[in-house]
Amino acid sequence: MGYEPSNPIIVQGDSTVLVEVHAPKYNEARDALSRFAELVKSPEHVHTYQITPLSIWNAVAAGYRVAEMLAVLTTYSKYDVPKHVLREIEEYASRYGRLKLLRAEGSWIRLEASDAYLAEEIAHNKPLKPFLENRVDVVSFLVPAAQRGHLKLELTNAGWPPEDLVGYVDGEALAIIPREVATSGRRFLVRPYQQEAAAIFHQDGNARGGSGVIVLPCGAGKTIVGIATMARLQTSTLVLTTSVSAVRQWKAELLDKTGLGEDVIGEYSGFAKEIRPVTITTYQILTHRKSAQAEFTHLGLFNERNWGLVIYDEVHVLPAPVFQFTADIQARRRLGLTATLVREDGKENEVFALIGPKKYDVPWKDLERQGWIAKALCSEVRLPLSAALRMDYAVADKRTRFRIASENPDKLACIHAILRCHEGECVLVIGQYIRQLEMLAVELDAPIIHGSTPQKKRDMIFEEFRQGRIPVLVVSKVANFALDLPDAQVAIQVSGTFGSRQEEAQRLGRILRPKSNANIAHFYTLTTRDTSEIEFARNRQRFLTEQGYAYDIVDAENLAEALEDDARQNCL
């Protein structure tokens, strides 16, 4: 191919890909590349992606063909793509499914390799040996069905992700009929991409369907995908989510949009222990135990009914004990819902092996262009640290430095300027540190919700905010997940959890639900210049950069002028 100066990407020999942000074909190259590569760095001019075995396997499992991956690299590359990189992509893509898990007699499953050489290789792999003691022939092994999940995880870790074709139990039958008109009086239609996601997960009920992860932006209706999947399966369902507020949101959606009644849907939380054909619980209650050495009190819920489907809402925050139990219930269909597969603990391989591979993914900007989510305009406002705090920052340890920068009291003036610009709009002020948030709530004369806020009070405040009777709401990280705040038009992020990419995506998601007016949302991040907060902010923004979002950098001293200019253009 030679040299194509207008092309945006440079593929390097270590499978990293450099992408020039200002190149003419940047947007289309980014969208195509993000299907099978992970964004690693996103400074202003050149972004770095990494092609990994897991990113390739997720792409293959989602139906992305290896020829398409190679075409992306060769089409958009500025220089010739190293041949060994193309070969490695082919090699890793070919590994997915060369081992298959199949149904066998009784309480056994069969692991079948594509050839005797592969069978011999895994038979001599030390972590796999305990699973493969019962060899049937040169390519097959019988494995106890109870070890299905643990075997899948070890095979994935060994670089040979199996295709699971064992199938699933049907579970207890339950009639789940979506309404044509919701009880709220609105016509209920499952959007085309939601129908497609549910159909791809279900696969007409065959063994290739029934486990996997659906990736959609916050505000795109992941709950509706769950409802559509339940309607296809017609079976008793256990829903796991992040908070009691989310439990009640799921219940309200099911009552509003299906024919299920109150007597069929149970809440299993610190407030109620109802086990019904559809039961909704939290990760916190499932991982509760009296001491670090004690048994988990409520994990038995997985076995309380003959569940035909387990839905893992916000699967990217799945705690370790739930992973462990998920390994033991591989005969149940498992649907993961998330806005991002990024896990800060690096356990993406466990999601892949135990919940299932990514089955469906839509770029955020695609849904924005179609009007299904709001257009989001992101700004990072940078302000200095006062001389009074600069010495405290200089002598502090790493963690304390970050907190000093995050709690910069001069952020209050920036918040006031933003609120003046967005007068009449519903605004979320989101942060990490309770002391800072309580001070802001007083200064802004706004209610606050954090971890210690009683559930009844939370529900009341959230409802008042939804109704528009509260214009400004201060929230801690309890608002990161699974909250339906459709009238939130503006989010001001004053502090965050170090460099958490998933948190950044979730917080932007609080304001992405479609708006009834201009369908534009505004996301502001306040950071302290010349501190570690800037570096952490850059890391936090990586995932959203991959999705096509750009952050305008605004100096605090120019904020008022910038807000006025952008308000006139109606595009901040």
Side-chain angles (χ1 to χ4, degrees), residues 165-407:
L165 301 175
V166 176
Y168 308 93
V169 298
D170 290 331
E172 176 186 337
L174 176 65
I176 304 172
I177 311 299
R179 297 177 185 270
E180 293 185 5
V181 178
T183 58
S184 60
R186 298 179 180 177
R187 184 166 176 75
F188 175 48
L189 291 173
V190 181
R191 298 168 184 170
Y193 66 87
Q194 295 166 336
Q195 293 174 338
E196 185 180 20
I200 289 173
F201 172 83
H202 184 233
Q203 292 279 301
D204 293 323
N206 66 41
R208 281 190 162 83
S211 67
V213 178
I214 304 299
V215 182
L216 288 173
C218 300
K222 292 186 289 296
T223 305
I224 304 304
V225 174
I227 291 174
T229 303
M230 292 168 66
R232 285 177 177 270
L233 292 172
Q234 299 286 299
T235 188
S236 184
T237 302
L238 176 64
V239 180
L240 316 180
T241 191
T242 54
S243 67
V244 175
S245 295
V247 167
R248 292 173 182 170
Q249 182 177 308
W250 267 89
K251 183 174 182 178
E253 287 286 274
L254 287 165
L255 291 171
D256 183 50
K257 296 176 172 61
T258 75
L260 298 175
E262 291 265 7
D263 59 327
V264 177
I265 306 172
E267 172 185 327
Y268 194 94
S269 68
F271 299 89
K273 298 292 186 295
E274 303 162 344
I275 301 175
R276 294 177 181 165
V278 174
T279 299
I280 314 167
T281 188
T282 69
Y283 296 125
Q284 291 92 331
I285 199 77
L286 287 177
T287 54
H288 172 267
R289 52 181 172 175
K290 294 179 180 178
S291 69
Q293 291 74 38
E295 296 291 320
F296 292 100
T297 312
H298 303 289
L299 274 179
L301 181 61
F302 281 103
N303 294 320
E304 286 290 338
R305 292 188 81 103
N306 184 18
W307 311 110
L309 174 67
V310 180
I311 297 177
Y312 300 82
D313 196 15
E314 311 288 7
V315 70
H316 58 280
V317 297
L318 202 66
V322 180
F323 270 128
Q324 179 65 28
F325 210 91
T326 299
D328 297 331
I329 59 163
Q330 294 292 298
R332 311 289 175 188
R333 289 179 172 86
R334 302 171 310 285
L335 170 63
L337 299 172
T338 185
T340 165
L341 278 174
V342 169
R343 283 185 65 98
E344 304 302 338
D345 61 4
K347 290 181 181 285
E348 290 91 346
N349 63 326
E350 296 195 23
V351 174
F352 178 90
L354 300 179
I355 307 299
K358 179 173 67 176
K359 290 296 182 72
Y360 189 80
D361 188 4
V362 180
W364 293 36
K365 285 291 183 177
D366 283 2
L367 295 185
E368 179 189 295
R369 283 189 286 268
Q370 296 166 30
W372 296 120
I373 61 176
K375 179 180 180 180
L377 298 160
C378 305
S379 299
E380 182 183 339
V381 181
R382 295 183 177 178
L383 63 156
L385 193 63
S386 68
L389 291 173
R390 178 56 65 180
M391 185 56 71
D392 290 341
Y393 179 87
V395 300
D397 60 39
K398 185 176 181 180
R399 181 174 291 272
T400 305
R401 282 183 175 185
F402 179 71
R403 180 156 191 166
I404 291 171
S406 297
E407 293 186 317

Side-chain angles (χ1 to χ4, degrees), residues 494-555:
V494 296
S495 55
T497 309
F498 293 96
S500 174
R501 293 162 290 167
Q502 60 173 233
E503 182 176 78
E504 190 88 351
Q506 293 293 327
R507 287 181 171 180
L508 176 61
R510 297 308 101 216
I511 57 173
L512 284 185
R513 286 172 175 80
K515 315 301 176 197
S516 57
N517 44 28
N519 206 27
I520 295 176
H522 308 275
F523 186 63
Y524 298 92
T525 298
L526 309 185
T527 57
T528 302
R529 191 185 298 118
D530 298 326
T531 70
S532 60
E533 192 178 25
I534 295 290
E535 294 304 313
F536 283 120
R538 185 172 291 139
N539 190 65
R540 291 168 61 85
Q541 294 164 7
R542 266 170 43 203
F543 174 78
L544 294 180
T545 302
E546 183 180 18
Q547 296 298 325
Y549 292 95
Y551 284 74
D552 288 332
I553 308 297
V554 180
D555 289 326

Side-chain angles (χ1 to χ4, degrees), residues 35 56-64 96 200 357-361:
R35 296 283 301 274
I56 293 169
W57 297 331
N58 265 314
V60 172
Y64 206 46
Y96 180 73
I200 289 173
K358 179 173 67 176
K359 290 296 182 72
Y360 189 80
D361 188 4

